[in-house]
Amino acid sequence: MSILIKNIKGLVQTRDSAHRMIKGSDMKTLPMIENVYLLIESGKIKSYGTMSESPDRAAEVIDASGRYVLPCWCDPHSHIVYAGSREGEFVDKINGLSYEEIAKRGGGIVNSSKRLNETGESALYDAAWQRLEEMKAFGTGAVEIKSGYGLSYDGELKMLRVIRRLKETSDLSIRATFLGAHAYPPAFKEDHEGYIELLIHKLLPQIAHEGLADYIDVFCDRGFFSADETSRILEAGARFGLRPKIHANELDFSRGVETGVNHNALSVDHLEFTGDDQIKSLLASETMPTLLPSTAFFLGLHYAPARKMIDAGLPIALATDYNPGSSPSGNMQFILSLACIKMKMLPEEAINAATINAAYAMGVESELGSIRVGNKANVFITKAIPSLTYMPYSFANNLVERVVIG
Ligand code: NIG
Ligand code: FE
């Protein structure tokens, strides 16, 4: 099966394999070639070039006049396997309660955990499948999905098995992350040691045995897991070959960033609390700082200092954090708008952050996140728009006309 997309106004993010991520001042450069074709064959990018060199035949020919073609967004941080929703807490927040206060009352993650443990695998799968389809319609072609609402032996395994089934059945590329250390469940509130034992000695061996996870995550923050607890859990994960991608510095200077870097994390995510020490630690690492501006938007937190981080020479990736408590949306286009409007990232920087850098942050940069011969065919065609800048500018509108995967 071959697909020829012709008369493309701009083919965006054409890179060779030397580029695994883009950092610092390079982030404002976004390669684009004009008036081109893109040929897809057997699910891969076969070739691209100027229209004068275009092949004229393919099983399907799409005319993209006036339209841009981009690699699909990668969304390297989500929690889309969940049961029910939490709009009651949304109103609590309007009435003045904070995310932490809601969590302390047994709401928040623990609320979702209760519901998840009462819901069957197939209902969870169906709901997550719908969310994936929604995300795809906004241009997302790869998603990292976390466990972390089970908070029990059976619940965590159930979530990871749902993610495995999504991997097997969806055309999106999916990576699975074990986030048993998302919160202490009520039964272990006074027995942190007991819960950590369960994670390390019962869950991790079983997860490794079934090959259910690609990465390990811990919510390293005030009121959740301390830096020392995080270190112990990450060390155990490493023994089973799981590289960390952790929640860090969302609610405080939690030492999550430094702990992640010390354990060679692929990414550290959130980073609303980032100062000079965290930037210094990240600069000396291969860890991708991943920012989740819709969480700051939804919870009314201050935004991570993206501008300062890029100006210091760091790369940035962007993700939705799609979850029922702090970001009930999987729309990556809105994330780009927030990155530009609220964090002062340039449109080119935001697009680099949501494609090639986001691919790095979920370990798929060798086949996704850029336009490169041999990469997986995982691209979208925009609607007819005046410029690429129009995308983040025209916020909350869906400017993706068609997604081509495989
Ligand atoms: O990334 N911060 C921790 N975990 C999620 C929120 C999960 C929830 O509230 O259900 C987050 O924001
Ligand atoms: Fe999260």
Side-chain angles (χ1 to χ4, degrees):
M1 170 71 180
S2 60
I3 301 176
L4 172 67
I5 309 175
K6 61 175 197 180
N7 297 322
I8 301 168
K9 180 176 178 177
L11 180 63
V12 181
Q13 196 62 295
T14 47
R15 301 269 184 187
D16 59 37
S17 55
H19 293 99
R20 294 184 63 214
M21 60 145 108
I22 311 296
K23 49 177 130 174
S25 58
D26 289 340
M27 281 192 72
K28 62 177 181 299
T29 304
L30 181 65
M32 174 167 81
I33 47 178
E34 293 175 0
N35 195 26
V36 288
Y37 79 90
L38 176 72
L39 181 65
I40 291 166
E41 229 174 69
S42 311
K44 297 215 156 121
I45 294 178
K46 171 85 175 162
S47 66
Y48 61 83
T50 57
M51 272 313 293
S52 58
E53 306 160 331
S54 175
D56 47 11
R57 242 192 293 271
E60 185 183 355
V61 179
I62 303 170
D63 187 345
S65 300
R67 289 153 171 80
Y68 294 85
V69 171
L70 282 82
C72 281
W73 314 123
C74 295
D75 188 345
H77 182 137
S78 88
H79 310 249
I80 60 166
V81 177
Y82 61 84
S85 50
R86 304 216 309 258
E87 61 273 32
E89 294 174 11
F90 174 68
V91 177
D92 292 340
K93 276 179 248 157
I94 295 171
N95 285 324
L97 286 187
S98 72
Y99 183 76
E100 285 173 279
E101 283 162 343
I102 291 168
K104 279 208 186 98
R105 291 176 164 201
I109 294 166
V110 167
N111 178 355
S112 286
S113 168
K114 193 167 167 290
R115 295 206 204 176
L116 186 125
N117 281 291
E118 291 161 355
T119 307
E121 210 171 298
S122 70
L124 289 170
Y125 169 85
D126 290 345
W129 175 272
Q130 287 304 326
R131 292 178 193 121
L132 278 178
E133 289 296 301
E134 218 178 83
M135 295 163 91
K136 183 163 85 172
F138 286 108
T140 297
V143 185
E144 181 258 16
I145 311 175
K146 300 172 190 298
S147 70
Y149 291 126
L151 307 183
S152 64
Y153 183 80
D154 292 335
E156 285 296 308
L157 290 177
K158 178 166 69 177
M159 284 189 82
L160 289 167
R161 289 178 189 138
V162 169
I163 301 171
R164 177 173 62 192
R165 217 176 123 201
L166 292 167
K167 270 189 185 182
E168 289 164 358
T169 52
S170 173
D171 52 2
L172 280 79
S173 295
I174 293 172
R175 291 292 179 272
T177 299
F178 171 50
L179 175 56
H182 198 188
Y184 283 102
F188 289 94
K189 215 169 166 187
E190 307 304 331
D191 181 17
H192 286 193
E193 217 31 58
Y195 190 59
I196 293 174
E197 289 287 303
L198 171 71
L199 296 177
I200 294 180
H201 296 299
K202 297 228 166 65
L203 268 163
L204 269 173
Q206 186 59 27
I207 289 165
H209 176 69
E210 292 184 48
L212 287 172
D214 303 297
Y215 302 109
I216 185 164
D217 192 349
V218 177
F219 187 7
C220 181
D221 229 314
R222 187 177 68 204
F224 291 84
F225 290 78
S226 71
D228 288 342
E229 291 168 343
T230 302
S231 281
R232 286 178 54 203
I233 297 164
L234 297 185
E235 272 158 27
R239 289 199 289 275
F240 291 100
L242 300 181
R243 201 170 166 195
K245 274 175 66 60
I246 71 168
H247 283 73
N249 296 44
E250 174 185 3
L251 307 171
D252 203 353
F253 287 100
S254 62
R255 294 199 56 77
V257 171
E258 294 88 332
T259 305
V261 166
N262 286 342
H263 289 85
N264 188 31
L266 180 57
S267 73
V268 287
D269 303 16
H270 274 295
L271 279 47
E272 281 78 3
F273 287 82
T274 298
D276 294 338
D277 291 346
Q278 289 70 38
I279 290 177
K280 206 170 141 200
S281 151
L282 284 162
L283 278 169
S285 78
E286 300 265 283
T287 300
M288 178 62 73
T290 298
L291 307 186
L292 316 171
S294 57
T295 301
F297 172 77
F298 190 80
L299 297 182
L301 309 174
H302 62 79
Y303 289 81
R307 196 63 268 151
K308 186 172 168 178
M309 294 165 78
I310 295 172
D311 292 346
L314 285 174
I316 297 276
L318 290 166
T320 62
D321 197 17
Y322 194 174
N323 77 76
S326 68
S327 180
S329 163
N331 177 352
M332 278 295 283
Q333 290 178 61
F334 184 56
I335 300 297
L336 268 84
S337 295
L338 284 178
C340 296
I341 298 162
K342 295 293 187 183
M343 302 198 300
K344 305 293 173 210
M345 288 172 70
L346 295 166
E348 294 80 4
E349 292 173 330
I351 293 172
N352 276 319
T355 54
I356 190 166
N357 284 1
Y360 179 96
M362 58 184 288
V364 296
E365 76 280 7
S366 63
E367 53 181 19
L368 294 168
S370 62
I371 302 292
R372 188 187 288 154
V373 171
N375 267 15
K376 274 193 181 171
N378 192 293
V379 304
F380 67 78
I381 305 167
T382 66
K383 293 182 177 160
I385 50 176
S387 69
L388 208 49
T389 300
Y390 189 85
M391 253 197 143
Y393 155 84
S394 178
F395 76 92
N397 294 313
N398 190 358
L399 299 170
V400 169
E401 186 165 273
R402 180 160 172 189
V403 177
V404 181
I405 293 181

